[in-house]
Amino acid sequence: MSTPAPSGRLAPFSTTIFAEMTALAVATGSLNLGQGFPDTDGPAEVAEAAIAAIRAGENQYPPGPGVPSLRAAVTEHQRRCYGLDYDPDGEVLVTTGATEGIAAALLGLCEPGDEVVMFEPFYDSYPACVAMAGAVAKMVTLRAPDWSFDPEELAAAVSARTRLVLLNSPHNPTGKVFSPEELHAVAQICVEHDLVVVTDEVYEHLVYDGIHVPIASLGQMRDRTVSLSSAGKTFSFTGWKIGWACGPSQLVARVRAAKQFLTFATGTPFQHAVAAALDAGDRLIAPLRASLHERRDLLCDGLEALGLTVHRPSATYFATTDIASIGEDDALTFCRELPERCGVVAVPSSVFYRDPAPGRTLVRWAFCKRPEVLRDALGRLEVLAR
Ligand code: PMP
Ligand code: GLN
């Protein structure tokens, strides 16, 4: 049975591209390099911590802002990794994945008619949440090969109605890590126009080239920034949906006000497990990062050998290719036909642009899959090279 399309302000946002492509992978038995989830579990000790929490009776509603041990672990993580100080009571909020953090931040911080400046290609939930908040999205385009933006385009996107800038670094789908200079340019505009920044940093620990600088750590930015992250990508437990928001109490209070009526609270036992995972620090994260680094190169080298133009990502677990180099001219059509042609699923990055022109031939491939799956996929894709 097909799902009826939504009407009203959610009309443009029917089935997400990730759901569509994963359903296609399941229906055709294809290898799924589309939706970004690992095909192996995260560290056993973290899974054991969740099981132990369930056995210990941590199964009822937690406090709405999050269990104290996780808020303390997030506070310590921000201090240790970035020198950022937050009060676990009032400046840290646990969310149901970063997805809820994004929704609650936009609903809590925007009034109807406000404008939100964001970069395209964008993560798919951003424009949908802006629409739910009754706000208006204004796009600034990131351009290949380095996915930089024109500071004048950014300045032109800001108006008297602008409420906030929604940033995502490291960036999905491009794998870009915003440079300190680019972050300073964003920060300067925000200070000049008294704007809030909501920054999505779910890939903060999956960086292979360069370093991740949180915009909250720059100059006067801490007190106008809500930083979002999540355990899903860092620890390979995307199904647990444990995220968090950090920021000054007057901004976090608004995010919390929205969160209360979205989910009220977030899965208790998983919060305990993620607190233990964060406390373990880089011991758990470094091996995943090293292994993803190798898999990035395996996939990117293989795609290049097939004749695709590859934009090797500095971070995240996605590689972007331009299929124009193999004579293709439409990413959405290409991705819808790929399972039939090759038994592989990828995601058309064209859907992450409001103006599809700059992304028409861009395709995103996830490399958070086992090396043998990546090798199998590359073998299946060889027909494209002929
Ligand atoms: N932001 C970005 C940029 C993402 O790629 C994702 C997917 N992990 C999310 C937010 C959602 O994160 P979560 O699964 O924690 O809700
Ligand atoms: N963040 C994941 C991706 O970019 C997908 C998450 C989802 O399906 N909503 O592939």
Side-chain angles (χ1 to χ4, degrees), residues 173-212:
T174 64
K176 171 192 177 67
V177 178
F178 279 63
S179 69
E181 295 72 32
E182 289 170 324
L183 294 173
H184 276 290
V186 174
Q188 197 184 335
I189 291 257
C190 292
V191 171
E192 254 170 46
H193 296 269
D194 194 19
L195 308 179
V196 168
V197 174
V198 174
T199 173
D200 173 347
E201 304 185 346
V202 301
Y203 298 100
E204 61 186 320
H205 291 296
L206 306 184
V207 177
Y208 320 112
D209 305 318
I211 53 159
H212 165 62

Side-chain angles (χ1 to χ4, degrees), residues 60-86:
Q60 308 307 329
Y61 293 131
V67 302
S69 63
L70 179 53
R71 282 183 285 121
V74 168
T75 304
E76 174 53 20
H77 170 272
Q78 297 302 95
R79 197 199 52 72
R80 184 176 72 232
C81 297
Y82 310 120
L84 283 164
D85 278 318
Y86 294 103

Side-chain angles (χ1 to χ4, degrees), residues 29-322:
S30 296
L31 299 176
N32 189 354
L33 308 194
Q35 194 177 27
F37 63 89
D39 60 359
T40 45
D41 278 344
E45 69 185 74
V46 181
E48 287 304 326
I51 293 165
I54 290 173
R55 294 224 162 93
E58 299 287 356
N59 299 305
Q60 308 307 329
Y61 293 131
V67 302
S69 63
L70 179 53
R71 282 183 285 121
V74 168
T75 304
E76 174 53 20
H77 170 272
Q78 297 302 95
R79 197 199 52 72
R80 184 176 72 232
C81 297
Y82 310 120
L84 283 164
D85 278 318
Y86 294 103
D87 182 347
D89 297 319
E91 294 192 317
V92 177
L93 174 72
V94 174
T95 59
T96 302
T99 306
E100 190 197 29
I102 294 157
L106 291 167
L107 291 165
L109 294 168
C110 293
E111 299 299 328
D114 282 354
E115 292 177 1
V116 174
V117 172
M118 68 177 80
F119 296 88
E120 67 176 3
F122 43 73
Y123 184 58
D124 71 338
S125 80
Y126 300 172
C129 288
V130 168
M132 286 195 271
V136 177
K138 295 284 169 183
M139 300 295 171
V140 176
T141 304
L142 300 174
R143 293 180 197 280
D146 58 357
W147 310 109
S148 59
F149 61 90
D150 177 352
E152 283 178 19
E153 202 183 324
L154 174 62
V158 174
S159 81
R161 303 300 313 258
T162 307
R163 169 69 176 141
L164 62 83
V165 175
L166 178 51
L167 184 72
N168 171 214
S169 182
H171 181 260
N172 180 8
T174 64
K176 171 192 177 67
V177 178
F178 279 63
S179 69
E181 295 72 32
E182 289 170 324
L183 294 173
H184 276 290
V186 174
Q188 197 184 335
I189 291 257
C190 292
V191 171
E192 254 170 46
H193 296 269
D194 194 19
L195 308 179
V196 168
V197 174
V198 174
T199 173
D200 173 347
E201 304 185 346
V202 301
Y203 298 100
E204 61 186 320
H205 291 296
L206 306 184
V207 177
Y208 320 112
D209 305 318
I211 53 159
H212 165 62
V213 176
I215 193 164
S217 68
L218 300 183
Q220 309 160 53
M221 293 307 290
R222 181 208 178 272
D223 289 338
R224 58 175 71 248
T225 302
V226 174
S227 304
L228 306 174
S229 194
S230 154
K233 307 291 168 171
T234 299
F235 298 108
S236 298
F237 287 107
T238 59
W240 286 13
K241 301 298 293 185
I242 300 295
W244 50 87
C246 298
S249 58
Q250 73 277 13
L251 296 182
V252 169
R254 295 178 69 146
V255 184
R256 189 175 60 235
K259 188 228 152 76
Q260 287 184 112
F261 300 109
L262 291 172
T263 55
F264 173 64
T266 300
T268 312
F270 298 125
Q271 290 196 44
H272 287 283
V274 169
L278 282 175
D279 285 341
D282 218 38
R283 176 172 66 79
L284 296 181
I285 303 170
L288 174 67
R289 183 170 46 238
S291 137
L292 281 169
H293 193 160
E294 281 175 18
R295 287 181 274 164
R296 175 195 72 167
D297 292 339
L298 167 64
L299 182 70
C300 290
D301 291 350
L303 293 173
E304 253 163 29
L306 295 173
L308 287 153
T309 302
V310 177
H311 298 289
R312 197 170 292 242
S314 301
T316 76
Y317 41 52
F318 305 112
T320 298
T321 56
D322 194 331

